Amino acid sequence: MRIQQETNGRLQPIPRGQTGPFRNELLEAKAELITAVLCGKSSYVQGENAPLRYRLLTDTALRLSDLGQTAAYFDLIDLDYQYDLAKWTHNNLRLLAIQLNVPLPKGDWWATQSADDPVAAFVQFLAEKVLPEAEKPILLSFDEADQLLRAPLAADFWRLLTLIEAARLQQPLFENLVVVLWGTVSWELLADNGRFPTAALKPIIL
C-alpha cells in the first residue's frame, strides 16, 4: 500500500494540516467512498492528484477500521514485471492471509487448488478459508490500477475480479466482500473492450 506524497524519491504521508485547497474535495470523496464500501458497493477511485488520492486512501482506511471494516491492501505495480501467474497469485494470497490474520493455506491445499487455475484458487481461498471465518465485512483494495493497461498479467487480474463479482451474485458469503481499485486513468478506458463489466464498480472521481 502506497499512501504518501513524493519526498526525496519516496512517498511520505501528507500532514493533516496541509490538505489545504483540496480539503473539501477530500471530505466529499471520503464520505462517498466509505458509504459505498459500507453498502457493499465496489468502487474505482480515479484521481490525477497523487497526494489527494493517497491521502484519501489513508483517511478512508483509518475510518473504515473505526467502523469495523476489515481490509487488505495490495499494490498492483508488481504486475508490471511479474510474468508467473502462480507466483503472483500465491504472493498475494499470502499477503491477504497475513493482513486478515487467517491461517496461510497449507502446501497440499495450494498445490491441489492451484494446479489448473491459480486465479480460481484465490477465489476458492476466499470462499473456504476467509469469508466463513470473517466476523466483519472485508475490503480488498488494489492501488496502482493503471498497470492493468499494459501489465503481462492484466487479463488474469481482470479475470480474478470477474470471478469475485460472479461469486458475489451467487454466494451469500461474498456479499460481505467489496473491492476498491485506485488509479489515474478513466474507468471507461481502464475497463474498456470487455475487460470487466463497468457497471460492477462505482466510479468516484477526485
Side-chain angles (χ1 to χ4, degrees):
M1 177 175 64
R2 304 200 306 168
I3 51 177
Q4 304 108 346
Q5 67 181 356
E6 197 73 26
T7 302
N8 297 326
R10 296 186 61 83
L11 296 170
Q12 299 297 325
I14 304 173
R16 290 187 176 274
Q18 295 182 17
T19 50
F22 53 70
R23 182 176 182 275
N24 290 335
E25 188 176 1
L26 175 66
L27 291 176
E28 292 175 6
K30 179 180 174 182
E32 187 176 6
L33 180 56
I34 289 175
T35 299
V37 171
L38 294 180
C39 290
K41 179 62 177 176
S42 295
S43 304
Y44 172 68
V45 181
Q46 176 192 343
E48 292 284 348
N49 186 322
L52 172 57
R53 194 172 74 251
Y54 293 131
R55 178 60 188 274
L56 175 62
L57 196 161
T58 310
D59 281 12
T60 302
L62 293 173
R63 182 55 181 151
L64 287 173
S65 178
D66 291 340
L67 294 172
Q69 178 84 42
T70 302
Y73 295 89
F74 306 87
D75 193 329
L76 295 177
I77 201 160
D78 61 347
L79 281 176
D80 196 31
Y81 57 82
Q82 179 62 262
Y83 291 83
D84 186 328
L85 176 60
K87 182 177 180 180
W88 180 83
T89 307
H90 198 179
N91 287 344
N92 281 276
L93 190 149
R94 288 175 59 85
L95 182 59
L96 172 73
I98 291 170
Q99 292 188 78
L100 299 185
N101 194 30
V102 298
L104 290 168
K106 296 182 179 179
D108 56 346
W109 184 94
W110 178 251
T112 301
Q113 298 293 331
S114 65
D116 296 324
D117 186 356
V119 173
F122 190 101
V123 179
Q124 191 69 18
F125 182 74
L126 290 171
E128 292 183 4
K129 308 294 185 180
V130 176
L131 293 172
E133 305 299 326
E135 298 179 356
K136 304 175 182 178
I138 293 175
L139 164 66
L140 303 183
S141 180
F142 297 92
D143 195 13
E144 302 292 346
D146 294 26
Q147 300 296 329
L148 297 173
L149 292 175
R150 56 185 177 273
L153 299 182
D156 295 293
F157 180 81
W158 287 121
R159 191 160 56 86
L160 171 63
L161 292 193
T162 300
L163 290 176
I164 289 176
E165 183 61 21
R168 279 171 52 83
L169 298 175
Q170 299 170 7
Q171 302 181 45
L173 275 176
F174 277 82
E175 294 177 359
N176 288 328
L177 183 69
V178 177
V179 172
V180 176
L181 296 181
W182 303 75
T184 64
V185 301
S186 72
W187 176 231
E188 292 77 13
L189 177 61
L190 194 63
D192 197 12
N193 297 324
R195 295 189 188 98
F196 189 70
T198 55
L201 270 71
K202 169 186 172 63
I204 297 176
I205 312 298
L206 299 180

